[in-house]
Amino acid sequence: MDRRASEKDDDTSAKERPTLKTLAFMTGLGVTTVSRALKDAPEIGAETRRRVQLVAKQIGYRPNRAGVRLRTGKTNVISLVLNTEHELMSFVSDIIYGVTEVIADTPYHLIVTPYSRSQDPLDPVRYLVETGSADGVIISRAQPNDPRARYMLEHGIPFATHGRTDMGLVHPYHDFDNYAFASEAVRHLAGIGRRRLALLTPPIGLTYRGHTVDGFTDALSEVGASEVPFNTVTIDHSIEQIRMRTAQLMRREDRPDGFVSSAAAATLAIVAGIEDAGLKLGRDVDVVSKQSSELLHLFRRELFVVNENFRLAGSELARAVLGWIGGAAPGSLQSLSKPGEVLPYRHSGGQ
């Protein structure tokens, strides 16, 4: 096919794309009425709104985003900003699922804005704000004094953080209660007789590291257990690095008899290091780990797990951003997810 034929097909496709006029013709209504019905305007009757929206869905009508922006100054875009090197695929897919579930019945679309370790985390946020590419932004890996949150507050951009900041500034967030997770993990290990405990922490610089460490140390004092320092690696280190450091630790005479792990992937490395040292999980040492999918018990039944729901996090973050865009007070758009119980392996088969 030559270029002229291709361009003609493109022109035909563009001309055939359903518009507000197409909807008005098919429903017998005015363009203004159709436009308001699509926006769920209360002055349009419920039956008319349903009919217009049904026809729009059937013919594949989509608002032209460039036109929407010219008319309203809005993009109808929510941007999820993610560090592609540190975020695991299960986290990314679950967060995206949660966000898209909430925005599915709204005019909004999700775009993912990635950045790498070599970039300043503020760079992608600054780009979104300066180019007006999104009406709202979701960021992860929140820091106590987060320059991204401060920048967006200063520029009046609705946003939500996965995790909390500690700047004395009010903004929407969703977080998992990592203080409670670490505390319950310590209590559980102490309850089965473990007295020398090690913690594999989140990376330095993130707010939830402080919450996790505080929960761990407070619970150690409460139960009378002691800490075996394990601060040469964090969950951001590679699987091999965590495995090697764990094996070194477990070959020492003063080795821990219990671990608290802040991430499932890191737990795989901890278990490998324990076994490299010739020790047995469940006999010589126990591990309590967070997980976002029910996979750890498929790996080792002896593990104890606490579930963290990233789909819920995505949903709450999307609701928070949409709420702020809709005029809700930022302080009313904050949520904290409590951990469930520490779970042992439970056989669910029929034998």
Side-chain angles (χ1 to χ4, degrees), residues 240-251:
E240 193 51 46
Q241 287 172 315
I242 298 170
R243 177 178 182 172
M244 179 182 68
R245 294 299 186 187
T246 302
Q248 291 172 350
L249 181 65
M250 297 308 290
R251 292 188 178 106

Side-chain angles (χ1 to χ4, degrees), residues 1 20 41 90 134 193 298 335:
M1 182 183 296
L20 286 176
S90 60
L298 298 178
S335 57

Side-chain angles (χ1 to χ4, degrees), residues 158-227:
F159 70 95
T161 60
H162 185 217
R164 286 166 281 177
T165 62
D166 190 20
M167 305 184 293
L169 300 175
V170 178
H171 62 80
Y173 65 76
H174 177 77
D175 201 3
F176 182 77
D177 192 340
N178 288 283
Y179 180 96
F181 155 70
S183 299
E184 286 304 313
V186 168
R187 293 188 192 103
H188 182 84
L189 290 168
I192 58 175
R194 302 306 187 184
R195 312 304 299 170
R196 299 182 310 280
L197 308 183
L199 172 65
L200 183 61
T201 71
I204 295 170
L206 301 189
T207 312
Y208 84 107
R209 174 191 171 95
H211 298 155
T212 304
V213 170
D214 288 348
F216 181 79
T217 54
D218 287 353
L220 285 179
S221 298
E222 175 189 319
V223 302
S226 60
E227 178 180 7

Side-chain angles (χ1 to χ4, degrees), residues 8 17 21 58 63 65 134 150 168 251 264 267 284 333:
K8 184 177 180 181
R17 187 179 297 123
K21 289 183 179 179
Q58 288 173 335
R65 287 196 355 220
R150 188 179 299 278
R251 292 188 178 106
T267 300
D284 304 303
L333 302 169

Side-chain angles (χ1 to χ4, degrees), residues 1 3-19 22:
M1 182 183 296
R3 189 175 69 181
R4 285 174 297 177
S6 175
E7 289 173 348
K8 184 177 180 181
D9 285 347
D10 289 342
D11 290 342
T12 301
S13 175
K15 290 174 183 175
E16 292 176 352
R17 187 179 297 123
T19 65
T22 311

